[in-house]
Amino acid sequence: KKLITKYFCSMKRALRILFSVIFGFAVLLVSANLYFHYWLQHHLPQYIENKSPYHIHYQDLNIEFVSGNISASKVKITPKITDNQNVLQLNGTVDSLFISNLGIYDAILNKKINAKYVKLFRPNLQIILPENQDAHKNNKQPLISKNLIIKDGNVEILRFDKSKFLSIENLSLNIENLKLTEKEVSRKLPIVFDQYSIKSKAFHFYPDEVYHISAAEINTENGQMSVTDFSMKPLINFSEFSRKFPRKSLLDISSQKINFKDIVLKKNKISLSEVRFSEPNLTMYTSENQNKNKNKPFTYIVELQNVFFDNGKAKIIKNGQNKFSVDNVNAHFEQLILDEKNPKSEVPFQYKNYKISGRNIFLDAGKFYQLYINNADFQKNSIDLRGLHLQPKFTKTRFTSKISTEKDWYNVKIAQTRITDFHWKLKDNQPKINVGNVLINNLQAQIYRSKSPKDDLTRKKLYSELLRSIKFPLLVKNLNIRNSNLVYEEDLPNGNKPGKLTFSQFNLNAQNLNSNKGFKNTVVQIKIHTQFMNVAPMKVNWSFDTANLQDDFSISGQINDLPAESINAFVTPYSHKKVEGNIHELRFNFKGNRTEISGNYTMKHENVKVKVLDEKTKKEKKVMSAVTNLIVRTNSKSETENVVVHTTRNPTKSFFNLLWKGVEEGLKKTLVGKNVEKTEKTVKQVKQKLGLQDSVNQKEKPKKEKGFFKNLFKK
């Protein structure tokens, strides 16, 4: 019993001592907390005043030491020194401030405000950034808060020289799980967060001396952000801009509304979805030096899902002149990715499935032409153009005065161009284009050439070499031109009307047009059906191989039921002659290359005669006509005669000039006989004896007149 009693007595004594220690510690802790709370209430403001570069005044301050909650009302902050441009200047008021779960010791000892969240109610702040921001960053006083809430605030941020940088009115902001990126990690977003909401008015941002970015209103609701009356306007004119930045373009961008949702910031990636631009308007000002500018890779990855452009406009102004414009742009991209991984020489974005349409498209196509398109629709694998017009900038006369050597003048209209099964890639700054079908419907082409300028004596490539000269893989499997009309006019400096050739109801099919870059089949097949001079059915079969370095080709054709009078529109202006009679059938079957053409020519004709006209009166010279018709075979033989043709090519002339030389030789041998030169010499002698001369402009003789049939059927 004595041992038990002694044990319990010892236990009671130990418990009394333990309770006394606990009670004493509790009293000490409470006393310390009360004292520290008292100190915070009465000395923290003075501590902050002494340690910070600001004067801070408030009406009420409440600090909870255990929870770390701090609240204050009617807070006013002003900088102690207003003329130090190396210190961040903060000036303004906050109706009420609440900081949750503040680390008190961190705030006092380490000068870090680390809190669960910070709330600012009706802040009205002006912030002036330091001139040397790197020096300011070394003064480590960051605000680290997982959540930031601002209610109904007005914020203005100025640069050190008091120029505008950023201003926002009626700002309400809520950011959850805010994290700052480590400074030493490159190409990372400076902040990331999980959720956000924002509402503000009168947003103005001045990122540099060039641009002013603004929005009338910004608002988020149910994860959807909308920006109203967005604009990025230049602050300087293009002349001043180009002096300061000679290799850059100046942009003017606006959009009536921008909507998007699900913004996600992660590492170096910005993701948006359901992005819609309402009535966007882009104007780009550029100059000749712009093409020297090198693309730079993107610092961040920007990924946009489901992007829409509604009723937009775009324009490019180069050296003060409109070079491109389009109205009523409507577009949808399933995905757009702007990625730094793309080489700088390639298109700086990736995309998936798209639809783009535009109206009233204008493109400056160089010195002499401009292109108009009424409607254009683009999809991933198809293009549809309607109302295309390649319009000359100058009349035929002015065009001729502006060229130094012979060149064709074009005026081309196409009702519809339809491209399907269209695929293209870009690799190493080089495209690869593969097209299944191209349909050109109702093409109306006027082609004019004046013979007044000097001949262009440069070597002309045949079509196989022209295609082979394309530097990237190109394949058009099937090209169709339908229901079209081509008119070719050629004007001599002799005052007569231009000679004219017409090809109506023109239909062409070309297969396997290729650039001989990695294709197994390189043979091009072309078939043409048309009405020659609006009256005679004409068929042509033409083939060549782009892989053949000698540019071998074969071409055959047929014309039926051609009244000879129908070609006078082209013959008479050149030779002051008229042809009459009928050509029932004309056939040719030629082979050639870059140096020559040869083959067979056949013609069945009846009552073919030539009338020689007086150059001034345009009346027939009957004696001259009689002498000329002495050598013309008026009728073909009972059986159609076949003649062999062989002639060399002038390398400064086109393929069609070579084809004409083959047809011309066939005409000569058919209408005059195989010994053409001897016959022409005999006629010339007869004319000299009779004192007769052809009525040809003497100025043109050295260049234009090379024999009777050169002027009879000249092209």
Side-chain angles (χ1 to χ4, degrees), residues 152-364:
D152 196 22
N154 296 313
V155 179
E156 181 184 33
I157 302 177
L158 304 177
R159 293 185 176 87
F160 71 94
D161 59 359
K162 304 296 179 67
S163 62
K164 295 178 180 180
F165 182 65
L166 175 68
S167 66
I168 309 175
E169 297 180 9
N170 303 112
L171 172 65
S172 294
L173 177 68
N174 188 345
I175 298 179
E176 298 180 12
N177 199 20
L178 176 66
K179 296 178 183 178
L180 302 178
T181 302
E182 299 90 339
K183 296 178 184 177
E184 64 272 13
V185 179
S186 63
R187 290 196 297 275
K188 275 195 174 184
L189 295 167
I191 61 172
V192 294
F193 49 79
D194 290 344
Q195 300 291 330
Y196 74 99
S197 66
I198 183 172
K199 185 176 182 180
S200 71
K201 293 183 178 180
F203 173 88
H204 296 276
F205 178 45
Y206 300 83
D208 48 37
E209 61 181 304
V210 178
Y211 292 110
H212 169 211
I213 300 173
S214 66
E217 188 173 355
I218 302 174
N219 187 32
T220 58
E221 186 174 353
N222 299 324
Q224 181 85 25
M225 175 175 278
S226 64
V227 180
T228 303
D229 292 335
F230 170 85
S231 70
M232 186 175 80
K233 298 289 184 182
L235 295 169
I236 58 179
N237 60 41
F238 183 67
S239 297
E240 183 180 354
F241 175 84
S242 60
R243 285 196 301 270
K244 293 182 177 181
F245 311 99
R247 296 186 179 182
K248 292 185 178 181
S249 296
L250 184 65
L251 303 178
D252 187 335
I253 302 173
S254 66
S255 184
Q256 190 269 330
K257 200 166 188 177
I258 302 174
N259 293 325
F260 60 86
K261 72 175 185 180
D262 298 335
I263 182 171
V264 177
L265 307 179
K266 187 176 181 180
K267 294 184 179 179
N268 66 332
K269 185 177 181 179
I270 304 171
S271 299
L272 301 174
S273 65
E274 304 301 325
V275 185
R276 186 176 292 273
F277 297 86
S278 298
E279 299 185 22
N281 194 338
L282 165 66
T283 301
M284 177 187 291
Y285 300 89
T286 185
S287 64
E288 295 294 342
N289 293 327
Q290 179 59 30
N291 56 7
K292 300 178 183 178
N293 191 27
K294 295 182 179 180
N295 295 327
K296 295 182 179 180
F298 287 94
T299 303
Y300 308 116
I301 298 173
V302 181
E303 183 177 292
L304 308 178
Q305 302 286 345
N306 263 355
V307 185
F308 297 87
F309 296 86
D310 298 332
N311 194 26
K313 294 182 179 180
K315 183 181 292 187
I316 298 175
I317 306 295
K318 190 171 185 178
N319 295 329
Q321 296 184 344
N322 183 18
K323 295 296 181 179
F324 171 81
S325 64
V326 57
D327 297 332
N328 304 108
V329 177
N330 292 279
H332 172 229
F333 291 86
E334 186 177 303
Q335 186 181 62
L336 275 176
I337 299 177
L338 288 71
D339 191 347
E340 65 174 346
K341 294 180 181 179
N342 289 342
K344 62 184 179 180
S345 61
E346 296 186 8
V347 174
F349 60 85
Q350 303 173 35
Y351 59 88
K352 287 184 180 178
N353 296 338
Y354 63 88
K355 292 182 179 179
I356 305 173
S357 65
R359 306 291 178 264
N360 304 323
I361 299 172
F362 165 80
L363 175 66
D364 189 306

Side-chain angles (χ1 to χ4, degrees), residues 92-117:
T93 61
V94 180
D95 273 12
S96 62
L97 165 69
F98 183 78
I99 301 176
S100 172
N101 296 115
L102 175 71
I104 300 293
Y105 289 108
D106 234 8
I108 295 175
L109 300 178
N110 299 323
K111 301 179 182 179
K112 290 183 179 180
I113 302 176
N114 194 337
K116 183 177 181 181
Y117 62 82

